[in-house]
Amino acid sequence: MREFGLIGRSLGHSFSQTYFTQKFHDLGLADCRYGLFELANAAELPALLRANPGLRGLNVTVPYKEEVWPFLDEVVPAAARIGAVNVIDVRPDGRLVGHNTDYIGFRESLRRFFPGRGPGAPALVLGMGGAAKAVEAALHDLGIPYQLVGRRPGGPGLTYADLTPKVLAAHPLIVNATPVGTFPHVDEAPDLLYGALTPGHYLYDLVYNPRETTFMARGRAAGAHVKNGFEMLCLQAEAAWDIWNLPA
């Protein structure tokens, strides 16, 4: 039996198990199984692996995309550049190799969604965690300038209080790279002046459960284009599957 799974602190929102279980069924892989592993902290990873010797690969979600690093034997250069890991390849010799497929999934999904790529179409990235790091790398490679937005004054970017109508008007792309609005907290949304949005805005929410977040619904009501993170999830999951099936 080859086992795979997802680690995180709270996984009730996740679609990954359903996605991979269906994939295994479609491919006729009766010897593959995908589990959900809620960890109180990243330091529980070694014990998880000892208790599940059949594990061959793990996805990593919030808040452990940065915290798992000390427990890895290697991080591939692409993930090291991003500064976050969302895929762990458990090699046959037991070595743990970190990858980032969030970057791949977001980059390819954004190509299909946002037509205004280039220096004249800057973005706001809401959040400064591991998911935001993958978004930053993708925007950089697509030639889209961006500013980070966080909650604490004095940080490396803007705060939500800085997002005036003028600032919003100058940033047609807004990416929610926080978990705000994820099931079951579906009534929550990033603190924006949604009334200042226009049909020229594109709102991309990395959250995919619920299908339409409050962030998206309020943007849509203002005429903005909106997209959730489901396509990104699928693209990054396929990239993870490719990694787990690389020759040893």
Side-chain angles (χ1 to χ4, degrees):
M1 177 68 68
R2 289 199 298 161
E3 295 182 86
F4 306 88
L6 174 68
I7 61 171
R9 183 171 294 162
S10 177
L11 303 178
H13 69 283
S14 177
F15 186 71
S16 294
Q17 185 177 50
T18 300
Y19 183 90
F20 276 105
T21 299
Q22 184 63 50
K23 182 176 183 65
F24 299 155
H25 178 269
D26 293 343
L27 295 176
L29 299 175
D31 65 333
C32 289
R33 182 172 61 190
Y34 194 97
L36 300 178
F37 304 102
E38 293 188 347
L39 306 183
N41 56 69
E44 294 183 356
L45 176 60
L48 172 70
L49 292 166
R50 288 194 298 270
N52 297 272
L55 277 171
R56 294 295 175 262
L58 289 167
N59 293 119
V60 184
T61 190
V62 292
Y64 301 139
K65 294 183 181 184
E66 297 162 288
E67 295 182 20
V68 296
W69 277 51
F71 306 99
L72 304 178
D73 298 294
E74 179 185 348
V75 176
V76 300
R81 175 174 74 95
I82 293 165
V85 163
N86 78 302
V87 172
I88 298 174
D89 185 21
V90 184
R91 307 302 290 163
D93 61 3
R95 297 176 68 252
L96 305 182
V97 181
H99 299 258
N100 192 299
T101 64
D102 280 340
Y103 159 79
I104 298 169
F106 176 74
R107 182 192 64 196
E108 296 311 307
S109 182
L110 187 65
R111 286 185 197 272
R112 305 170 186 181
F113 172 62
F114 184 53
R117 297 191 300 273
L124 295 172
V125 179
L126 312 181
M128 297 185 181
K133 292 180 183 298
V135 170
E136 286 186 73
L139 293 175
H140 178 271
D141 288 358
L142 291 172
I144 301 174
Y146 62 88
Q147 292 197 76
L148 297 174
V149 181
R151 291 175 294 178
R152 298 175 183 173
L158 304 174
T159 67
Y160 289 92
D162 295 322
L163 302 184
T164 63
K166 182 178 180 179
V167 171
L168 292 175
H171 294 82
L173 174 62
I174 304 174
V175 181
N176 178 32
T178 79
V180 175
T182 304
F183 178 84
H185 305 291
V186 297
D187 294 329
E188 299 179 1
D191 187 15
L192 300 181
L193 297 174
Y194 290 91
L197 300 177
T198 71
H201 279 97
Y202 290 76
L203 273 57
Y204 194 114
D205 200 334
L206 270 60
V207 174
Y208 58 85
N209 184 5
R211 180 176 299 178
E212 181 171 84
T213 61
T214 299
F215 170 72
M216 294 168 60
R218 296 183 69 179
R220 188 190 300 278
H225 307 266
V226 299
K227 186 178 183 68
N228 70 17
F230 183 74
E231 182 181 51
M232 173 183 169
L233 168 74
C234 296
L235 291 169
Q236 70 83 17
E238 290 302 318
W241 181 245
D242 289 343
I243 289 168
W244 294 333
N245 286 279
L246 288 173

